[in-house]
């Protein structure tokens, strides 16, 4: 099928029908005819110039050209290469046909002629091959217009054009040659290759094989590196497309050109405080390249990890850390977006790389007397920045620095010494001489003076990374005490207790806008406490040393004013007080905590906090590999199971450490029998009371666990756990039995109703049959009577009985009926006469004149004489 026939249906739809007679349609047709059949070369050139003009300004002209003009223009490009002006005109007309007309505004669902022309032309592989061959022409405009056409085709139909170019011998090679052409053509080829190499691994490899890296860095060097214009941006975008998820290309870059040309782009030149918009974009592009190299390749590549480590090692050897610290920390004029990107690169550079971690830890920044460790500078950014994005990026550096780095954590924890009181009022600009730990503790204390927990929250996040999975650091930091803000307020306060107090303050505080609290402060402080108490009985004991801590935590779990995340994290912290509790002290042991949960919250409600938290958006959107241990969905679920098991275990073996000392049952020396018996009696009463209490708590536990609907693991701790399981199973069986009985009753009811409806249907069917039989009988009698009438009218003999006999028979039956009725009436009259006689006698006894009372009654109610005679 040719181009014109492909387009016929679409043009008919746009113009209304194939013979619409529009002016553009007919005008384009005449011009195409002049181009194809014209005799004079000048007339043909003028026709193609007019055609380009109308196509550039009219959507209808674009449609008309697409319907019937592409074969003509392709013929010019193929057969008239010697006429450069005609070839230029044909190419320029194609560019106009594929370029949307901006000033034409119509409905959003209106047909877009330029897009339709692009789709139509890209379907012809011969057209793409013909266009690529034109790149070898010497004329500048021929090559320029050809690249514009290919870019338009690639933008709107990338997959189709990628396949077409791959199928053409030396197709990509011809495009790569354009990078060494004149500046305008080079820039156009750069855009084309950037789009072409996007998500096309095969093309990426061919482009790199054709020397793309050398040409890209050569162009960026000519343009001035990061100080260059948009061309540098395009080069970096092409470079990133070639390296993204492609480990082989990363290895080739590392082993051929190396990373020096890339790192040199990050070097600030001239006025380091001058960051134009284009310079910032160029630096961000270079940092993205660095980040891609530190990723190592695609997730499915088996060599990704080794490639990632090698890339980080080589980048560090090339002093990348110095440039990143300059952009992210030292430069006071760098835009926030650039600082954040540089800080994230620092975090990625040190993640899982011990040598790079040591390099960062030993790095010092500043000049002359203002020199300080790089980690101190990063901490200052966390505490002082007004940008939340910058805080998150700097915090990411500490997270990766402390991850699986026990020595680094211990080094930072060793500096956690409160600063002298004389420096309490020192300004932020004068804290250069502080140690890392003193600065961190100062950040935790600043909330005392200004009533804002912002700096405390940020310092708490850093402290979380220092303590994570490091028992030694937890024990050491547990001994840190902070001075009261005023000496008159009392003795020093443990750091852990101060953190808990800040958590309580955050509940009622308001932010700068007057709204309740900061949404992130409580979760970050709770994360610190969870990390601190995890697998650390000493921290649990320290937390429980203050009785209000447990009371507040119980309220925080049960209150509805907190967010789902806060309630869930508080529930985790409360659970840690059970599972990591090794205390035997009354009121602080795991039994007391479990009992408080059961009494104040209820075990069902408590465990629901875990489910609600895991279903929240924060947990569902966090990847398990990128989150802290207490906050992953998997660890939260496993922690919940662990808490369940420990609570059941606590109830199964209550106060196992408070065992009865056998010596107490023995009579003490010098103790008389009466006192001994009295002491034993009191001891037994205490034991009985405690047993009754424990039995009640076990029953409560069993009921709560049965309501949760969660299956419990097998427990062999003792008879109490067995009772819990038996009670749960018994309740489940009872509920199932009740359900079965209910279903049986419903079944019997339905069967009874079904039988009733079945009987009713049978009765109706019988009635209907009787009615049908009666109707048939009447119909037969009617037919018989009609026959008899006809016979009588015709004077014929009838088979019916004699009419006189029928009348006589009817009269006789009527007389019998009258006699029967008369007899009944006489009986009634006799009964009434008897009543009258009795009443008359009674009235006479009472002295009444009966005849006078009955006077006139017979005349009014008696029957006429004639009627009596007739009856006789």
């Amino acid at each position: 099928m040719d181009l014109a026939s492909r387009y016929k249906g679409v043009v008919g739809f746009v113009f209304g029908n194939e013979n619409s007679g529009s002016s553009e349609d007919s005008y384009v047709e005449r011009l195409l005819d002049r181009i194809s059949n014209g005799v004079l070369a000048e007339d043909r050139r003028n026709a193609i110039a007019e055609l380009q003009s109308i196509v550039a300004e009219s959507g209808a002209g674009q449609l008309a050209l697409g319907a019937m003009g592409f074969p003509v223009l392709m013929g010019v490009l193929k057969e008239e290469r010697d006429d450069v002006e005609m070839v230029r005109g044909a190419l320029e007309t194609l560019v106009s046909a594929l370029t949307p007309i901006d000033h034409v505004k119509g409905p959003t669902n209106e047909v877009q002629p330029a897009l339709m022309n692009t789709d139509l032309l890209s379907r012809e592989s011969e057209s793409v091959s013909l266009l690529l061959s034109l790149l070898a022409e010497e004329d500048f405009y021929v090559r320029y217009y050809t690249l514009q056409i290919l870019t338009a085709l690639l933008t709107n139909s990338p997959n189709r054009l990628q396949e077409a170019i791959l199928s053409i011998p030396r197709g990509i090679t011809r495009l790569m040659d354009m990078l060494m052409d004149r500046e305008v053509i080079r820039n156009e080829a750069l855009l084309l290759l950037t789009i072409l190499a996007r998500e096309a691994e095969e093309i990426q490899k061919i482009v790199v094989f054709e020397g793309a890296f050398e040409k890209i860095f050569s162009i960026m060097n000519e343009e001035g590196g990061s100080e260059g214009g948009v061309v540098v941006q395009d080069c970096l975008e092409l470079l990133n497309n070639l390296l993204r998820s492609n480990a082989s290309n990363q290895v080739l870059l590392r082993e051929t050109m190396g990373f020096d040309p890339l790192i040199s782009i990050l070097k600030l030149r001239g006025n380091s405080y001058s960051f134009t918009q284009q310079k910032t974009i160029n630096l961000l592009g270079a940092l993205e390249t660095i980040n891609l190299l530190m990723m190592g390749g695609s997730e499915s590549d088996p060599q990704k990890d080794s490639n990632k480590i090698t890339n980080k090692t080589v980048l560090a050897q090339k002093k990348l850390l110095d440039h990143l610290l300059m952009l992210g920390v030292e430069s006071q004029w760098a835009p926030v977006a650039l600082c954040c990107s540089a800080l994230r690169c620092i975090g990625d550079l040190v993640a899982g790389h011990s040598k790079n971690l040591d390099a960062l830890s030993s790095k010092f920044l500043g000049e002359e007397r203002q020199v300080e460790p790089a980690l101190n500078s990063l901490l200052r950014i966390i505490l002082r920045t007004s940008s939340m994005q910058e805080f998150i990026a700097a915090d990411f550096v500490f997270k990766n620095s402390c991850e699986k780095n026990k020595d680094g954590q211990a080094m930072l924890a060793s500096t956690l010494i409160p600063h002298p009181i004389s420096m309490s009022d020192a300004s932020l600009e004068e804290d250069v001489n502080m140690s890392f730990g003193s600065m961190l503790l100062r950040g935790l204390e600043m909330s005392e003076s200004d009533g804002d927990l912002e700096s405390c929250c940020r310092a708490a996040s850093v402290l979380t990374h220092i303590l994570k999975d490091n028992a030694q650091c937890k024990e050491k930091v547990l001994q840190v005490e902070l001075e009261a803000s005023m000496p008159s307020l009392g003795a020093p306060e443990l750091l852990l207790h101060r953190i808990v107090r800040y958590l309580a303050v955050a509940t009622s505080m308001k932010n700068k806008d007057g709204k309740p609290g900061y949404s992130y402060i409580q979760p970050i402080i709770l994360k610190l406490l969870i990390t601190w108490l995890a697998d650390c009985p000493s921290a649990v004991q320290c937390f429980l040393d203050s009785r209000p801590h447990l009371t507040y935590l119980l309220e925080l779990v049960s209150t509805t004013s907190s967010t789902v995340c806060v309630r869930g994290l508080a529930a985790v912290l409360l659970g840690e007080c059970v599972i990591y509790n090794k205390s035997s002290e009354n009121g602080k042991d795991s039994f007391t905590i479990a009992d408080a949960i059961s009494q104040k919250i209820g075990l069902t409600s408590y465990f629901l906090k875990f489910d609600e938290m895991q279903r929240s958006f924060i947990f569902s959107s966090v990847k398990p590999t990128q989150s802290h241990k207490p906050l992953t969905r998997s660890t939260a679920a496993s922690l919940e199971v662990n808490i369940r098991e420990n609570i059941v275990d606590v109830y199964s073996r209550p106060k196992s450490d408070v065992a009865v000392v056998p010596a107490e049952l023995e009579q003490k020396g010098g103790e008389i029998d009466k006192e001994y018996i009295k002491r034993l009696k009191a001891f037994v009463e205490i034991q009985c009371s405690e047993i009754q209490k424990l039995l009640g708590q076990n029953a409560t536990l069993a009921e709560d666990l049965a309501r949760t609907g969660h299956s419990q693991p097998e427990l062999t701790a003792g008879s109490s756990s067995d009772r819990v399981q038996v009670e749960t199973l018994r309740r489940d069986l009872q509920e199932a039995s009740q359900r079965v009985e209910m279903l049986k009753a419903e079944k019997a009811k339905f069967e009874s109703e079904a039988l009733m409806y079945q009987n009713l249907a049978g009765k109706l069917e019988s009635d209907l049959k009787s009615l049908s039989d009666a109707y048939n009988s009447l119909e037969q009698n009617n037919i018989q009577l009609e026959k008899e009438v006809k016979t009588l009218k015709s004077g014929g003999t009838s088979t019916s009985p004699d009419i006189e006999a029928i009348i006589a028979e009817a009269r006789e039956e009527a007389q019998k009926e009258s006699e029967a009725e008369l007899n009944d009436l006489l009986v009634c009259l006799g009964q009434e006469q008897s009543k009258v006689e009795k009443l008359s006698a009674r009235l006479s006894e009472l002295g009444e004149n009966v005849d006078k009372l009955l006077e006139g009654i017979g005349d009014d109610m008696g029957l006429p004489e004639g009627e009596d005679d007739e009856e006789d």
Side-chain angles (χ1 to χ4, degrees), residues 273-288:
Y273 57 83
S274 176
F275 287 89
T276 63
Q277 182 179 4
Q278 188 59 56
K279 180 179 179 179
T280 301
I281 294 174
N282 293 341
L283 289 171
L284 288 173
L287 290 175
E288 183 184 357

Side-chain angles (χ1 to χ4, degrees), residues 24 124 175 232 237 259 265 281 294 377 397 419 421-422 474 548 607 638 658 698 719 726 729 737-738 799 823:
E24 290 87 352
E124 300 293 336
L175 294 175
V232 175
E237 186 176 356
F259 295 152
I265 299 175
I281 294 174
M294 289 189 292
S377 299
V397 177
H419 55 78
I421 299 178
S422 59
K474 292 178 183 180
F607 287 122
S638 62
V658 188
N698 283 338
S719 61
V726 170
L729 293 174
S737 300
Q738 293 175 353
T799 60
N823 292 333

Side-chain angles (χ1 to χ4, degrees), residues 550-564 566-571 574 596-597 599-602 605-607 609 612:
L550 179 60
T551 303
Y552 168 71
L553 196 57
L554 291 168
E555 294 177 355
L556 191 61
V557 173
S558 58
T559 182
T560 57
S561 60
S562 301
T563 63
V564 172
V566 169
R567 293 197 298 269
L569 292 174
L574 194 57
I597 294 174
Q599 298 296 326
K600 302 294 184 181
I601 304 175
S605 177
Y606 173 72
F607 287 122
K609 308 303 179 185
E612 294 172 357

